[in-house]
Amino acid sequence: MFSENDHAAMQRALALAAQGMYLTTPNPRVGCVLIKGGQIIGEGYTQPAGQDHAEIQALKDAAARGVDVSGATAYVTLEPCSHFGRTPPCADALVRSGVARVVAAMEDPNPAVSGRGLQRLRDAGIDVRCGLLEKEARDLNIGFVSRMTRGLPWVRVKVAASLDGGTALHDGTSQWITGQAARDDGHAWRARACAILTGIGTVRDDDPQLTVRAVSTPRQPQRVLVDSRLEVPLDARMLARDSGDFAKPVLVFCAIDAPERRAALEARGAEVIVLPNARGKVELRQMIEELGRRGINELHVEAGFKLNGSLIREGCADELLVYLAPRLLGDAQGMFHLPPLSSLRDAPAFRWHDVRQIGDDLRLIARRQQADPA
């Protein structure tokens, strides 16, 4: 169904889409390549929300080259949109351009599109094919797919640990277990996320900024804190106005309504959201749902073993991003605080997705078996 040339063109479109890795939130990362006579005549990738989608960028590129796109093939990593959002429908732009063929990697999981864009192209007499390198395209937009199909962001829990699973000494010392290469790689994962979440324990122990610093990024992810009793110090670095993207407030999820503390945090630019559960803690599932409603596609978690364990126990963790250093910490804090099991059948089950060496450390990626929308 697809030729070697088709595969090469879609690979290029996927590479273009990846260039929008840190740009497109809350929209998906999409790339488009226009081919005519065996040559690339235009290409582009989706710009920040409200600006050009990949198809429009590619058509403008072809126009800048002075090339007529009629009769060309458009390779797009996601079904062209068919509805008016912040920008007009890309499917209509392709129809007007006169392209003869459109190859899409996957249908758009957005219910507002979901096959309608492809049908609009077919109705205009364009030869439409779908499904080329679909797995790669879905993985690139795993958070967007998750939010469109489940209403939830893709939750990635990052942990840095020793070979025997220690994440910190008992006094909280954890800097640095892994090497510089692993830490830089972790910042790249931060940068691709829409939001970074931590817990009050980590704020007390490490006072993190929760910003991307080791890689270049045009925007900082939104910062999110789980703080059941609103104990975060007002001088915490994650609340500082010189760290992060100030168009987005720091979101603080708590379990109590404390007007004075809430007012003080709001004066620091935070938004406080009260979501208690029966145990006096933050209701984590409702928190994840709320983040989905706010357009968060990928949620990157860097927290302590208690919050990590709670996210797994509540079924909120979709992916584990674990860096293992070749050292032993002995009697130390672990990666996840989970209750004892009475049966191995009750153990949370994950499957390996990727294993590779980063500097002197190993990077392990495992996904919860029932979670993967890709």
Side-chain angles (χ1 to χ4, degrees):
M1 180 178 180
F2 298 112
S3 69
E4 185 176 334
N5 289 337
D6 288 334
H7 277 82
M10 189 61 79
Q11 288 281 12
R12 175 57 185 164
L14 286 166
L16 287 166
Q19 292 185 38
M21 183 71 72
Y22 310 152
L23 287 175
T24 63
T25 301
N27 292 335
R29 303 146 181 150
V30 183
C32 178
V33 174
L34 299 172
I35 301 286
K36 187 175 182 179
Q39 302 296 318
I40 293 177
I41 61 170
E43 56 184 25
Y45 57 91
T46 297
Q47 300 300 298
Q51 300 182 35
D52 287 343
H53 288 188
E55 299 92 327
I56 306 305
Q57 283 273 300
L59 291 170
K60 286 183 176 180
D61 184 35
R65 302 184 192 203
V67 180
D68 178 12
V69 304
S70 61
T73 296
Y75 294 87
V76 192
T77 60
L78 185 71
E79 172 185 2
C81 62
S82 58
H83 67 296
F84 280 88
R86 297 185 185 182
T87 58
C90 292
D92 290 352
L94 289 173
V95 169
R96 290 193 300 271
S97 75
V99 298
R101 183 171 179 247
V102 173
V103 179
M106 60 177 287
E107 286 192 9
D108 194 330
N110 185 348
V113 183
S114 194
R116 295 181 182 90
L118 298 179
Q119 190 57 50
R120 184 171 297 185
L121 297 170
R122 292 188 179 102
D123 290 344
I126 296 173
D127 179 12
V128 176
R129 309 292 172 87
C130 188
L132 175 60
L133 300 181
E134 179 174 1
K135 183 181 183 300
E136 291 82 351
R138 284 183 172 272
D139 206 53
L140 187 65
N141 283 304
I142 194 167
F144 180 76
V145 174
S146 174
R147 186 167 64 86
M148 290 296 109
T149 58
R150 306 187 303 171
L152 305 171
W154 183 257
V155 180
R156 180 179 294 114
V157 178
K158 179 256 183 181
V159 182
S162 63
L163 197 58
D164 54 346
T167 60
L169 303 181
H170 283 291
D171 65 0
T173 301
S174 62
Q175 298 179 346
W176 300 105
I177 293 174
T178 54
Q180 188 64 52
R183 297 199 297 275
D184 290 351
D185 189 70
H187 274 255
W189 287 93
R190 280 188 181 187
R192 69 172 282 166
C194 306
I196 305 175
L197 178 144
T198 195
I200 183 60
T202 299
V203 172
R204 281 195 297 255
D205 291 341
D206 298 336
D207 194 19
Q209 296 181 62
L210 288 195
T211 56
V212 178
R213 299 180 299 280
V215 299
S216 178
T217 177
R219 62 103 174 103
Q220 289 287 344
Q222 187 161 19
R223 292 158 293 169
V224 184
L225 173 63
V226 177
D227 182 9
S228 295
R229 295 187 292 273
L230 290 182
E231 298 172 317
V232 59
L234 294 179
D235 61 352
R237 291 202 297 172
M238 70 174 292
L239 297 177
R241 294 186 179 275
D242 61 350
S243 61
D245 180 357
F246 307 117
K248 301 172 184 176
V250 176
L251 301 181
V252 181
F253 287 89
C254 66
I256 62 170
D257 191 5
E260 291 186 6
R261 289 290 297 171
R262 181 172 189 158
L265 285 168
E266 289 172 347
R268 297 285 288 156
E271 179 181 349
V272 179
I273 303 162
V274 184
L275 284 178
N277 62 18
R279 301 185 303 277
K281 302 289 187 180
V282 172
E283 179 52 61
L284 296 177
R285 189 70 178 188
Q286 290 183 20
M287 178 189 71
I288 301 300
E289 292 171 354
E290 176 62 23
L291 293 175
R293 285 190 288 270
R294 290 170 180 253
I296 301 299
N297 291 333
E298 294 185 23
L299 177 64
H300 181 89
V301 179
E302 294 197 22
F305 71 111
K306 290 182 180 179
L307 182 53
N308 288 346
S310 295
L311 288 167
I312 291 176
R313 187 176 62 251
E314 299 297 323
C316 296
D318 299 310
E319 182 172 289
L320 305 180
L321 173 65
V322 180
Y323 296 90
L324 286 183
R327 61 172 68 183
L328 304 174
L329 294 188
D331 186 12
Q333 293 181 15
M335 290 188 278
F336 313 104
H337 179 64
L338 294 168
L341 301 175
S342 58
S343 170
L344 287 175
R345 291 191 300 270
D346 298 328
F350 289 77
R351 59 180 177 80
W352 295 119
H353 177 70
D354 185 75
V355 177
R356 67 184 66 188
Q357 186 167 347
I358 306 291
D360 293 330
D361 307 307
L362 280 183
R363 189 187 73 191
L364 314 175
I365 300 178
R367 291 179 174 174
R368 189 161 56 91
Q369 289 184 356
Q370 292 80 20
D372 194 347

